[in-house]
């Protein structure tokens, strides 16, 4: 009976209503509960790291933006619909039987408030969810300040373009959205209830419909006028002329800018004409106004600037654009920190005038010349220092420097981290993976300028020689107990790192048990005692994390005690970006021992777009030479490395340090988040000594310096004086050679200076044009030194030198032998200023035995060193090729220069082997030097090598059969 009554009355049956209500509640909970749990977990984590204020500020800003946008846009739509409904005709004419709107009109007319609020609320929620992501724009507007620099066109402080203009444009864009959708809602409501009626070829409008629609269209034109006003300022950040130059050009200033004024005036006239429709029934006036604006936009905004560009600018581009190119050069140098106050240009002949032993700086450079390539030796570190299958090192190692025994030396460094993906068998059980195998062990460093011994075997076979390997300085639990750490570390356990964070999910549950359970050594277990980690002992937190990771074991594991903690977000870069979401963290943190503790040092950038006249760059496009992804790929026109962050490898403590007090963008963020960034005075000397100039920023600045070292705008326009970044001669996949960290002798003091360096070649050529280096030493940090080579002489660049070296008779003959049983990999080709005006190229050659065994494991060793130098006078290129750097330098420069090099193992320099005497200076080697071995010797060695390899393969197969488990 009730069902029939419901059906007869048009109501939804009660049972169906209950099912719909339950389904709605279920889906709402499905959407809301995970977000509430996520918010609670974030609240716990930010409290653990001490940055809960950041979380609150960001959350409140997002909620405020969501509420304001949702209420304003939803309210505008509701107001438009409600006014249209209230002003509908009371006596609506009887609808035709075929009227498709009659049923909708009846339903909406029955519950008008519900429909109006529902549609407006849904629209407002969608807009709020979209708009709250722009919280950075609001915070910069509220806390932005002055740059102390004015733009060259309007004379306004740069802070207006960076902090204020984006906010005004954001507000204006939402006003356009509100007016547009309010117009559609008003139009639809009037159409539904008869305020708008098609009448043949015309459209009938009620008075209320005409008034309301005219007001909305008039507001649109008012906002359009405001947009034209703001577009005047946006012209200065135009990039339509790139790659020629950035910013407003002659056409923009002399044609587009006046057109913006004209269009602004026309838009206001159109707005007045449309508003006149409120009292004038004739709609032709606002229609003509709209057509006028459209035609004016085409003529003044398109045709006129195009005509000026084609007939005035293009035939005289160098002269017309000269003043604007000057603006672009000055702004780009300022925006990227490569102005005259930071860059020192020096002429450099490219040809040496004195032998290296007579130049004090060269003695330092050669003694510290790096032979170990951190991008090659990861597997060597892993094989020789792994200790356990679940430990490993990053794919790319890092370079840093330490002062040992009073001498500054650069080291290849890495942290021995836990590798969750390497856990196998019962090791990968949930209990073991998350409560037993929880941390890594130790800091490993190797001097970058020497190996344990030189490889003398012609084959370079790692099975025949235990030479060519790094000399390790290890600081771990074993060395700590033995008391002989070269680099003392108080706490060698590593709970946070790059490799650990690659696990999915990357959490560990530590502490709180009745007895130690974490793996430490084969004979000892450990219990975490650090301050890091979120308490998980209570049932509420266990439920929250069990839901977060969808893991029921968190609820029932007996390993979790009342004092247990859960450690997550273990990637150092991720932790920095979480506690400082306004920063872009470098994706390549590096470990350092600072004040006895292992910490990860993370470079962090403030980057924005909209700097007037500055060239636009992209962190994604420029800052990754090795193909790794970057967190923030947005285009930028201003960047600073204003913050250095540290993440403690044991307890995860994140500390942000201000290193650039003159960055106005960082100052704005520090006002928005007070107390989050420590002042520069709190940086310890030990920590500051490990700061290095970041590669990402250097790559961007290098790309800018390739063009913006040119002062003359006309020369800039022709591109003749531009530089290019050389292609990587050792890795075909790299379109650009990466920069290299090296220890160079200071030209004035001869003291070692840790620098990031790069060779530059001519524009789309391969000849060396400049040598860029930037200091990482505390006293000169961030200062660039650019050696400019003359344009009337040709000095071979990296690609040409690589070809010269590998085509040398000695190199080619021995390479043929090496490749029979080894994989050859060339290390970093270093370019070094030397000999008071010359350029020395040094490249290590690594070999790795080819193994045919199924489980064979081989790794690179340093086998040979190549060196090349342009000979003064003749201009010929001399090539050195030997097992040691000293011998290679003696072949290039003659006796005595090799004595400056640090010998393998740190002992006295070994004499050259028979048949490898140094070639006297002045005698070219590339074509006349005899091969290292005659054909008979090569044939004999090949036969011996084949026999040894066959025997080794048989032995490996036998071992594999013994170790293979019985099936």
């Amino acid at each position: 009976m009730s069902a029939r009554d419901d059906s007869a009355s048009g109501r939804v049956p009660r049972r169906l209503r209950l099912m719909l209500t339950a389904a709605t509640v279920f889906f709402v909970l499905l959407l809301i509960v995970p977000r509430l749990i996520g918010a609670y977990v974030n609240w716990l984590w930010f409290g653990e790291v001490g940055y809960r204020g950041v979380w609150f500020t960001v959350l409140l800003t997002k909620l405020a933006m969501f509420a304001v946008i949702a209420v304003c846009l939803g309210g505008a739509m509701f107001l438009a619909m409600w006014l249209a409904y209230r002003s509908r005709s009371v006596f609506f004419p009887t609808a035709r039987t075929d009227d498709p709107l009659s049923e909708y009109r009846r339903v909406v007319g029955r519950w008008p408030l519900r429909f109006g609020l529902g549609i407006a609320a849904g629209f407002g929620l969608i807009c709020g969810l979209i708009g709250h992501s722009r919280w950075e724009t609001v915070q910069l507007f509220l806390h932005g300040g002055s740059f102390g620099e004015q733009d060259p066109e309007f004379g306004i402080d740069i802070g207006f373009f960076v902090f204020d203009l984006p906010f005004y444009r954001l507000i204006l864009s939402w006003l356009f959205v509100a007016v547009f959708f309010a117009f559609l809602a008003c139009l639809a409501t009037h159409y539904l209830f008869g305020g708008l009626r098609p009448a043949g070829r015309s459209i009938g409008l009620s008075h209320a419909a005409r008034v309301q629609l005219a007001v909305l269209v008039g507001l649109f034109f008012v906002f359009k006028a405001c947009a034209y006003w703001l577009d005047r300022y946006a012209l200065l950040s135009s990039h339509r002329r790139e790659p020629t130059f950035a910013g407003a050009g002659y056409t923009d200033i002399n044609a587009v800018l006046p057109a913006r004024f004209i269009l602004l005036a026309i838009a206001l006239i159109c707005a007045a004409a449309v508003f006149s429709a409120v009292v004038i029934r004739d709609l032709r006036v606002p229609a003509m106004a709209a057509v006028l604006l459209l035609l004016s936009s085409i003529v003044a905004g398109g045709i006129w600037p195009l005509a000026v560009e084609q007939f005035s600018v293009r035939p005289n581009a160098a002269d017309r654009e000269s003043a604007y190119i000057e603006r672009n050069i000055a702004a780009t140098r300022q925006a990227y920190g490569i102005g005259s106050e930071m860059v020192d240009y020096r002429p450099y002949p490219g040809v040496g005038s004195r032998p290296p032993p007579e130049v004090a700086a060269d003695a330092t450079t050669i003694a510290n010349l790096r032979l170990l390539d951190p991008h090659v030796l990861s597997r060597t570190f892993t094989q020789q220092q792994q200790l356990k299958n679940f430990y490993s090192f990053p794919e790319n190692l890092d370079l840093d420097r330490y002062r040992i025994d009073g001498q500054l030396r650069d080291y290849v460094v890495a942290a021995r981290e836990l590798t969750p993906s390497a856990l196998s068998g019962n090791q990968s059980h949930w209990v073991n993976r998350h409560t037993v195998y929880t941390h890594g062990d130790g800091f490993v460093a190797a001097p970058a300028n020497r190996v344990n011994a030189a490889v003398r075997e012609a084959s370079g076979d790692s099975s025949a020689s235990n030479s060519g390997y790094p000399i390790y300085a290890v600081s771990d639990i074993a060395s700590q107990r033995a008391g002989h750490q070269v680099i003392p570390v108080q706490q060698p356990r590593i709970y946070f790192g790059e490799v650990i964070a690659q696990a999915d999910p990357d959490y560990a549950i530590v502490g709180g048990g009745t007895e130690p359970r974490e793996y430490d050594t084969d004979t000892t277990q450990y219990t975490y005692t650090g301050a890091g980690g979120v308490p998980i002992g209570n049932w509420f937190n266990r439920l929250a994390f069990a839901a977060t990771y969808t893991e029921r074991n968190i609820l029932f594991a007996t390993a979790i005690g009342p004092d247990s903690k859960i450690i997550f977000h273990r990637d150092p870069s991720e932790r920095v970006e979480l506690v400082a979401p306004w920063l872009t963290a470098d994706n390549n943190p590096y470990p350092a021992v600072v004040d006895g503790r292992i910490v990860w040092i993370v470079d962090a950038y403030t980057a924005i777009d909209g700097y007037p006249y500055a060239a636009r760059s992209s962190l994604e496009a420029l800052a990754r030479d090795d193909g790794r992804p970057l967190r923030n790929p947005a285009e930028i026109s201003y960047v600073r490395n204003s913050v250095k962050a540290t993440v403690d490898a044991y307890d995860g403590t994140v500390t942000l340090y201000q290193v650039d007090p003159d960055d106005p963008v960082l100052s704005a963020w520090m006002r928005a988040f007070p107390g989050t960034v420590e002042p520069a005075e709190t940086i310890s000397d030990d920590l500051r000594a490990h700061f290095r100039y970041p590669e990402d920023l250097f790559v961007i600045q290098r790309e800018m310096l390739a063009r913006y070292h040119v002062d003359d705008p006309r020369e800039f326009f022709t591109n003749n004086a531009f530089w290019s970044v050389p292609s990587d001669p050792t890795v075909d996949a790299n379109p650009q050679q990466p920069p290299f960290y090296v220890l160079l002798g200071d030209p004035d003091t001869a003291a070692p200076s840790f620098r990031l360096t790069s060779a530059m070649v001519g524009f789309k050529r391969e000849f060396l044009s400049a040598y860029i280096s930037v200091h990482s030493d505390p006293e000169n940090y961030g200062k660039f030194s650019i050696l400019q080579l003359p344009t009337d002489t040709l000095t071979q660049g990296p690609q040409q030198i690589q070809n010269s070296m590998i085509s040398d008779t000695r190199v080619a003959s021995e390479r043929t032998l090496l490749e029979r049983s080894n994989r050859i990999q060339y290390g970093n080709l270093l370019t070094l200023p030397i000999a008071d005006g010359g350029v020395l190229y040094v490249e290590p050659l690594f070999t790795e035995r080819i193994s045919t065994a199924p489980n064979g494991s081989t790794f690179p060793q340093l086998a040979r060193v190549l060196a090349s130098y342009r000979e003064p006078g003749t201009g010929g290129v001399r090539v050195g090729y030997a097992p040691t750097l000293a011998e290679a330098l003696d072949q290039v420069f003659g006796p005595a220069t090799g004595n400056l090099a640090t010998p393998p193992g740190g002992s006295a320099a070994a004499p050259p082997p028979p048949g490898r005497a140094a070639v006297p200076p002045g005698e070219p080697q590339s074509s006349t030097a005899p091969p290292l071995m005659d054909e008979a010797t090569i044939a004999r060695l090949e036969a011996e090598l084949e026999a040894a390899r066959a025997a080794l393969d048989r032995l490996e197969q036998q071992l594999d059969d013994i170790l293979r488990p019985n099936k």
Side-chain angles (χ1 to χ4, degrees), residues 225-264:
C226 296
Y228 284 132
W229 178 263
L230 295 179
D231 286 346
R232 297 164 54 250
Y233 303 112
L235 280 176
L236 303 193
S237 300
S238 170
H239 296 276
R240 68 184 185 90
R241 295 182 176 275
E242 288 189 323
T244 305
F245 68 97
Y250 180 89
T251 301
D252 297 311
I253 298 301
N254 295 279
V256 178
L257 187 59
R260 292 286 188 268
F261 277 110
I262 296 173
L263 293 173
L264 185 154

Side-chain angles (χ1 to χ4, degrees), residues 135-269:
W135 65 270
E136 299 100 330
T137 302
V138 175
Q139 286 292 344
L140 284 177
F141 172 76
L142 295 175
H143 299 95
S146 170
F147 266 66
E149 298 282 341
Q150 294 181 341
D151 80 276
E153 179 63 29
F154 300 104
I156 301 175
D157 188 89
I158 302 298
F160 167 80
F161 297 89
V162 172
F163 301 131
D164 301 338
L165 185 59
F167 178 77
Y168 296 146
R169 294 174 69 89
L170 176 66
I171 296 297
L172 191 59
S173 64
W174 282 115
L175 289 176
F176 274 119
V177 172
V179 169
F180 177 74
F181 282 97
F183 176 83
L184 294 181
C186 181
L187 191 69
T189 306
H190 278 296
Y191 179 65
L192 183 63
F193 290 99
L196 184 152
R197 297 182 302 278
R201 294 184 178 181
S202 62
I203 297 177
L205 283 176
S206 66
H207 175 73
R210 187 180 72 253
V211 170
Q212 293 168 20
L213 293 176
V215 168
L216 290 172
V217 174
L219 287 176
F220 180 86
F221 283 118
V222 170
F223 296 151
K224 190 62 179 175
C226 296
Y228 284 132
W229 178 263
L230 295 179
D231 286 346
R232 297 164 54 250
Y233 303 112
L235 280 176
L236 303 193
S237 300
S238 170
H239 296 276
R240 68 184 185 90
R241 295 182 176 275
E242 288 189 323
T244 305
F245 68 97
Y250 180 89
T251 301
D252 297 311
I253 298 301
N254 295 279
V256 178
L257 187 59
R260 292 286 188 268
F261 277 110
I262 296 173
L263 293 173
L264 185 154
I266 294 175
L268 292 177
I269 294 173

Side-chain angles (χ1 to χ4, degrees), residues 122-139:
F123 175 72
L125 288 175
I126 294 173
C127 293
L129 290 173
I130 295 173
H132 82 285
S133 61
R134 295 287 302 275
W135 65 270
E136 299 100 330
T137 302
V138 175
Q139 286 292 344

Side-chain angles (χ1 to χ4, degrees), residues 468-487:
Y469 295 123
I471 303 171
Y472 299 101
V474 181
S475 299
D476 57 8
I477 295 173
S479 62
Q480 186 184 46
R481 291 174 178 172
H484 50 70
Q485 293 182 339
V486 177
I487 303 175

